[in-house]
Amino acid sequence: MKTPTISSLLFAFLVIFSCSSLVSSDGHDDFLQCMSLQSNNHTSISNIVYTPNNTSYSSILNFSIQNLRFTSETTPKPLVIVTPVHESQIQPVIYCAKENGMQIRVRSGGHDYEGLSYASEVPFVILDLFNLREISVDAENKTAWIQAGSTIGELYYRIAEKSQTLGFPAGVCPTVGAGGHFSGGGYGALLRKYGLAADNIIDARIVDVNGRILDRISMGEDLFWAIRGGGGASFGVILAWKIQLVDVPEKVTVFTIDKTLDQNATNIVHRWQYIAHKFDEDLFIRILIRRVNSSEDSKRTIQATFQSLFLGGVDRLLPLMQQSFPELGLQREDCTEMSWIESILYFAGFPIESRDVLLNRTQPNVRYFKAKSDYVQKPISKNGLQGIWKLFFEEEAEEAEMILSPYGGRMDEISESAIPFPHRAGNLYKIQHLVYWEEEEVEATQNYINWIRKLYSYMAPYVSRFPRAAYINYRDLDIGVNNNGNTSYAQASIWGIKYFKNNFNRLVQVKTKVDPANFFRNEQSIPPLNSWWNKNGK
């Protein structure tokens, strides 16, 4: 049998992915040709590349979109989607994107709040890592390797397969991808005991701008520092993390208690602010604020939901609560003992016996939403809280919520500069502001976004200042953006100082060293300190 030549394989490849003149004018087929030439196995490459003419293109694109705001016809679409099944298939994507002047957007779980992992205003390629999700748990040494395309739900599931007394301090939403979640910090109900996900990373693998696959030793401590909380997308393509698993008891205790305004919610929330950060580090109580209809007369009211994870049994929790937070009125019947993995399902809103749901990569209810974040360093007055309630009675707030997550404990003990995530001692709690809606119309979308901006403006006197701090995993382009390809240090620092405080400068230094030409970039990526780049762009 005659062996096919490189040219014949290339021709076949281009025929398979032939596209319109509109797309090819943007360098689309040049990229495909480059990919073919750079790859050893042309057939395997054709199986992982999707263009707009491919029948699977839309389903692949939409599969991991977690915010309907970015599913409209006006949302910019990628020229190509690449779904590698092996690490070696990533290097040609980087090389060919550079050669053809295309940006790369790397997607793990698709939860970027502003869609930056799958949308861009310039010609771009999505590098979708959902096939790279191998997880290897070493229960004896309490470590695990997790590929970047894995979700944290998959991680929790695999840990529980090996041990009922090991866990990991990552997020509450199981469909979040590990690649982005860990690189921005990542937190959940264990943060007061063990800190962030990023605080518990002990090694990593990354593809740099030159296509080299690096681990902690070969990348060096500066880059290893930067990708644990500084956002990995500025520095390369995260392939995998090695994490330190943490001890959890065989039985934990959970409770959820709702309090409306008629049930003294304002006073209890006010009191929580003074004590939640001082609780025993085994105790985490967060608050979810929503508008609801009163059960008695169906009138609108505000409900504060106190949701807790306690790393111990109910017999130890009850006296602790009576001593620390009697105002909540916790009773034994409010509490449920369960395993840590069951508490993951509980916090995610699933039946605790439905463990297999953690393997699902898609959320059951994807909606339109906009989010913001804040840090509170002094308790908000009762009058201040009542002003929040007033805003929640407005029409656009029907599906809005605020989530208040307490700090203290281990979070107070870790230095602001230990990793790029700087929000440590001095913060009582973090706020996530959220507004959801169902309407597709642009005008409706703008009304809801205007509402959350009004809430954010109202909160200004009550939250951190100079800077008004924010959390990068709750991405918010309202706080500042880079120019497309021509961003100065000064412009990027507008948003960068809010996310990273004094760590922003070190992140810029690392970026300058590892990606001086600013290939890995987006609307809120770390810029290099390069006078030519900042003057001319590319």
Side-chain angles (χ1 to χ4, degrees), residues 154-373:
E154 290 171 324
L155 172 63
Y156 297 150
Y157 186 95
R158 299 304 173 198
I159 294 172
E161 279 186 326
K162 295 291 184 72
S163 171
Q164 290 297 301
T165 56
L166 290 174
F168 190 69
V172 168
C173 177
T175 58
V176 169
H181 184 62
F182 295 5
S183 76
Y187 79 97
L190 293 177
L191 93 160
R192 301 191 66 252
K193 178 75 170 183
Y194 292 114
L196 310 174
D199 293 323
N200 294 276
I201 293 169
I202 54 179
D203 202 346
R205 288 167 54 79
I206 184 173
V207 187
D208 74 358
V209 70
N210 298 310
R212 297 176 301 172
I213 296 180
L214 308 173
D215 62 8
R216 179 174 183 172
I217 293 174
S218 54
M219 79 175 75
E221 286 302 300
D222 282 344
L223 181 54
F224 183 62
W225 173 86
I227 61 176
R228 291 174 297 146
S234 292
F235 304 98
V237 179
I238 304 292
L239 296 175
W241 306 104
K242 186 179 184 182
I243 56 176
Q244 184 71 57
L245 304 180
V246 301
D247 294 319
V248 294
E250 287 188 7
K251 289 293 180 184
V252 303
T253 305
V254 300
F255 67 77
T256 300
I257 294 180
D258 296 327
K259 297 289 185 181
T260 62
L261 296 183
D262 291 341
Q263 297 166 325
N264 211 23
T266 303
N267 288 334
I268 300 173
V269 171
H270 184 253
R271 178 62 181 156
W272 173 93
Q273 297 178 100
Y274 288 87
I275 55 177
H277 64 291
K278 298 177 182 177
F279 287 154
D280 186 300
E281 64 181 12
D282 287 339
L283 178 59
F284 171 89
I285 304 177
R286 69 173 184 169
I287 303 177
L288 293 84
I289 306 291
R290 299 187 184 99
R291 187 178 86 203
V292 298
N293 290 326
S294 170
S295 57
E296 294 180 7
D297 53 17
S298 296
K299 288 185 178 179
R300 293 176 175 179
T301 187
I302 302 300
Q303 177 176 279
T305 298
F306 295 81
Q307 189 176 53
S308 177
L309 171 69
F310 178 65
L311 298 175
V314 66
D315 288 337
R316 187 160 76 93
L317 172 62
L318 287 173
L320 203 160
M321 285 292 291
Q322 185 56 42
Q323 177 185 354
S324 304
F325 196 13
E327 296 85 353
L328 190 60
L330 182 69
Q331 303 295 319
R332 180 176 291 271
E333 54 266 28
D334 299 319
C335 304
T336 307
E337 290 184 341
M338 59 181 62
S339 66
W340 175 77
I341 191 65
E342 288 172 334
S343 78
I344 291 292
L345 291 157
Y346 176 86
F347 265 74
F350 295 113
I352 61 172
E353 62 276 3
S354 304
R355 191 179 302 185
D356 285 354
V357 76
L358 296 175
L359 300 177
N360 292 346
R361 292 186 63 88
T362 54
Q363 296 189 90
N365 183 22
V366 178
R367 294 185 283 175
Y368 297 87
F369 75 88
K370 169 68 180 171
K372 291 177 170 291
S373 59

Side-chain angles (χ1 to χ4, degrees), residues 94 96 157 159 229 234 376 472 493:
I94 295 173
C96 295
Y157 186 95
I159 294 172
S234 292
V376 176
I472 190 172
S493 67

